[in-house]
């Protein structure tokens, strides 16, 4: 549904934010996963036609995005990581304003969409309050509501769960899964759990390059049977993928062909394992270079 070919972006200070990105993304929920500074936001802004690349092509269905940016904007919903609001406008007034900007001029259609989105994002009770007075989580929910105006075919969301409490996060997850049946939702985040819960297709990005992409099961296959979990720090014969804590007790996830220590037990590979594996591979490659 979305095809990206040889997409590159270099900033004025010489930073190569994107380096010859090639991706083919299907309809449905797609996750873009990478650490801070990996190039996720640059890619999101470029796909949303907010900045031009140095080179490359972007095709959405039968639309050449770089040649017809206005046509894409008519079917685009975009939630940036940071966004501002008019300080003296209420939530509902601002949504009405944005509906007009998106070409929804019929008052009845406007009201129907806005009422539905306010309910979906749990903002109906505060619809007449100024968005500038909202808490971080409420403002994020407003951002989600405005992105969904106009029933976009392409929805780009950069760190959408930032500032949401656990209940709000679950509600957003349910909403995204529900609406993703007939559109492409590109979810960019460094929170592996969000991607793992929502996205059947994932692209891993690091230092401006796509290191892996594909259906999640295919990304996990190379690690299956090689992941171990241990309460003890590993020796040099295994690769330490991650160290986490539960109730203050450490847990180590290891990559090894054989049992690395007597305390280690085999576990199923997860997307987080693949994520940490790719980050380590990239770090080793950079040192070798």
């Amino acid at each position: 549904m979305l095809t990206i070919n040889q997409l590159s972006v270099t900033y004025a200070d010489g930073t190569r934010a994107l380096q010859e990105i090639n991706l083919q993304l299907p309809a449905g929920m797609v996750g873009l996963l990478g650490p801070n500074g990996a190039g996720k936001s640059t890619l999101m802004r470029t796909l949303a036609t907010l900045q031009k690349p140095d080179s490359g092509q972007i095709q959405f269905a039968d639309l050449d995005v770089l040649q017809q940016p206005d046509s894409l904007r008519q079917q685009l919903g975009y939630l940036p990581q940071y966004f501002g609001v008019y300080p003296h406008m209420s939530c509902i007034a601002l949504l009405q304003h944005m509906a007009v900007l998106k070409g929804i001029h019929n008052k009845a259609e406007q009201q129907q969409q806005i009422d539905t989105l306010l309910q979906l994002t749990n903002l109906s009770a505060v619809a007449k309050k100024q968005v500038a007075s909202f808490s971080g989580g409420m403002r994020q929910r407003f951002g989600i509501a405005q992105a969904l105006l106009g029933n976009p075919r392409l929805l780009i969301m950069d760190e959408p769960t930032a500032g949401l409490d656990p209940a709000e996060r679950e509600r957003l997850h349910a909403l995204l899964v529900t609406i993703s049946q007939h559109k492409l939702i590109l979810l960019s985040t460094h929170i592996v759990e969000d991607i793992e819960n929502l996205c059947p297709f994932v692209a891993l990005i690091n230092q401006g390059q796509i290191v892996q992409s594909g259906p999640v099961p295919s990304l996990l296959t190379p690690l299956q049977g090689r992941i171990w979990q241990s309460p003890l720090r590993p020796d040099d014969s295994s690769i330490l993928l991650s160290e986490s804590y539960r109730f203050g007790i450490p847990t180590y996830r290891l990559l090894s062909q054989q049992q690395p220590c007597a305390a280690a037990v085999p576990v199923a590979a997860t997307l987080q394992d693949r994520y940490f594996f790719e980050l380590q591979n990239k770090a080793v490659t950079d040192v070798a270079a």
Side-chain angles (χ1 to χ4, degrees), residues 131-271:
V131 178
S133 70
F134 281 4
S135 66
M138 292 166 64
R139 186 176 294 207
Q140 194 71 0
R141 283 184 274 140
F142 168 81
I144 294 163
Q146 65 79 25
L148 291 173
L149 276 169
N151 191 27
R153 292 180 62 208
L154 173 61
L155 186 60
I156 297 175
M157 311 187 83
D158 195 355
E159 303 287 356
T161 59
L164 300 184
D165 64 34
E168 291 172 329
R169 200 164 149 229
E170 284 191 359
R171 190 180 298 114
L172 173 61
H173 286 184
L175 171 62
L176 292 178
V177 170
T178 299
I179 66 175
S180 67
Q181 304 304 314
H182 305 292
K183 62 185 70 190
L184 168 57
I185 300 181
L186 186 54
L187 175 65
S188 168
T189 184
H190 63 280
I191 302 175
V192 184
E193 184 182 4
D194 281 354
I195 298 292
E196 199 158 28
N197 289 342
L198 294 172
C199 303
F201 190 100
V202 172
L204 302 175
I205 185 171
N206 193 22
Q207 297 181 21
Q209 297 176 309
I210 298 297
V211 293
Q212 287 291 339
S213 66
V216 173
S218 71
L219 297 180
L220 301 186
T221 296
L223 300 185
Q224 296 293 10
R226 303 169 61 199
I227 303 296
W228 303 80
Q229 188 165 293
S230 172
L232 303 177
R233 184 177 292 274
D235 58 26
D236 294 336
S237 65
S238 59
I239 298 175
L240 174 62
L241 294 176
S242 63
E243 176 183 351
S244 60
Y245 291 83
R246 183 170 177 81
F247 308 122
I249 300 173
T251 297
Y252 303 94
R253 290 183 73 89
L254 320 171
L255 177 66
S256 178
Q257 293 287 4
Q258 299 178 338
Q259 185 180 25
C261 63
V265 296
V267 291
T270 67
L271 185 59

